[in-house]
């Protein structure tokens, strides 16, 4: 019985959304899985916008309930952290005890990205602890995002694959995604 | 039996973290609830940083499993969207079928914040659809963040309270949090 994998990520927002969703789904199929993608279900685009939004959310959650696993694209999205919708979905799947994998196409750690966000080194504030010029704390745990994300995956036996895409291919490079698929395809190496 | 509420949010990163965590916990107790906060459990700070991070995540998840409800502080955090750890926790609690409430201290919608992020109006790209100068799409659903978040709360019968704190009190104003508590305290009005 082929594993059903929910392909979470911000691909739906890309200029080439359909192409990227199709490419990732095809790769998952080639690796022997059944892909489920956020855009697979046709949502009736009527009613007010809030109703449409609720219907999209409901459809995505239904796919997650059906899926056996998730591969979450946690590449930073308009800021330091991953796309909020994808993070919600990762938490959702972790709570359900599903098989959880994730990747990012940015090699710099969360700590390094927060420092870049502030445009300076930040202020050291104790061992492994820093503050931005705004006084808000950030920690140097070597994680790729907030510790709940990487911890949620790794404590369940999943892997977070750290890619390193070219700046103009942050959302189209599929190297790290392919690595997730190959890890999932070899359960003995998970 | 008093409801146990997990108080999710980025308060742990504030300069006055302890004060804010204590203030929110005291407010929850006054409203008749048992508060559970991310910093309630003492984590042994030894081993390497990754081990400490995993232990913190495990402790927070254990508190969520124990809790009956969550109130998630989704105020934007270093960018357009809410703190990634809090978003993970919201998804986690939604999946478990817990009682879910959330708030933000920023009145501007996600759509308005993305436009501000780009420093311009963005490019109209069809009904209710926009693109940033980087080509990435954003939608005008009138939601306070990615639709998965507000949808996840509202479809479960919870409420997302939209506050409007002063810019220098974004992370310390408790008006919207208090409103969540009062909604939770009157189940007939939930």
């Amino acid at each position: 019985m082929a594993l059903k994998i929910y392909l979470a990520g911000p691909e739906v927002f890309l200029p080439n959304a359909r192409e990227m969703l199709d490419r990732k789904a095809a790769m998952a199929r080639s690796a022997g899985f059944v892909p489920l993608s956020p855009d697979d279900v046709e949502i009736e685009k009527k009613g007010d916008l809030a109703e449409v939004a609720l219907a999209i959310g409901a459809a995505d959650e239904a796919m997650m309930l059906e899926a056996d696993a998730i591969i979450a694209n946690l590449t930073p999205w308009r800021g330091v952290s991953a796309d909020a919708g994808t993070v919600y979905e990762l938490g959702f799947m972790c709570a359900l005890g599903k098989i959880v994998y994730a990747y990012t196409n940015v090699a710099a750690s969360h700590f390094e990205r927060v420092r870049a966000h502030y445009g300076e080194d930040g202020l050291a504030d104790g061992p492994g602890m820093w503050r931005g010029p705004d006084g808000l704390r950030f920690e140097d745990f070597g994680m790729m995002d907030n510790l709940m994300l990487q911890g949620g995956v790794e404590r369940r036996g999943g892997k977070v694959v750290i890619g390193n895409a070219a700046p103009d291919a942050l959302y189209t490079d599929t190297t790290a995604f392919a690595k997730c698929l190959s890890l999932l395809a070899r359960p003995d190496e998970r």
Side-chain angles (χ1 to χ4, degrees), chain A residues 2 7 15 17 31 49 74 83-84 97 120 123 135 139 156 160 175 182 188:
Chain A
L7 305 182
L49 289 172
L74 298 178
D83 165 55
E120 58 176 271
L123 313 164
E139 292 159 327
R156 287 172 174 80
V160 179
T175 312
S182 88
D188 51 318

Side-chain angles (χ1 to χ4, degrees), chain A residues 69-142:
Chain A
I70 184 173
I71 299 179
N73 177 358
L74 298 178
T75 304
W77 183 256
R78 285 192 194 117
V80 170
S81 279
D83 165 55
T86 306
V87 175
Y88 174 95
E89 293 176 343
L90 179 64
F92 194 93
M93 294 295 268
C94 283
L96 295 177
K98 307 270 186 172
I99 298 168
V100 286
Y101 278 71
Y103 68 96
T104 172
N105 282 340
V106 171
S109 71
H110 182 249
F111 171 69
E112 292 164 332
R113 300 199 309 275
V114 176
R115 297 218 300 186
H117 166 81
Y118 286 124
E120 58 176 271
D121 279 354
L123 313 164
D125 190 46
M129 197 69 73
W130 300 71
R131 290 193 188 281
D134 54 10
L136 305 182
R137 198 170 78 174
F138 56 107
E139 292 159 327
D140 183 8
F141 280 136

Side-chain angles (χ1 to χ4, degrees), chain A residues 6 43 51-64 88-89:
Chain A
Y6 183 72
I43 308 292
E51 283 171 33
V52 172
L54 291 184
I56 294 171
D60 290 351
E61 287 194 8
M63 270 186 282
M64 288 194 284
Y88 174 95
E89 293 176 343

Side-chain angles (χ1 to χ4, degrees), chain A residues 164-189:
Chain A
N164 190 14
D168 65 353
L170 279 192
Y171 302 115
T172 51
D173 188 310
T174 52
T175 312
F177 174 67
K179 175 76 176 167
C180 286
L181 288 173
S182 88
L183 289 169
L184 266 160
R186 292 190 295 258
D188 51 318
E189 293 179 29

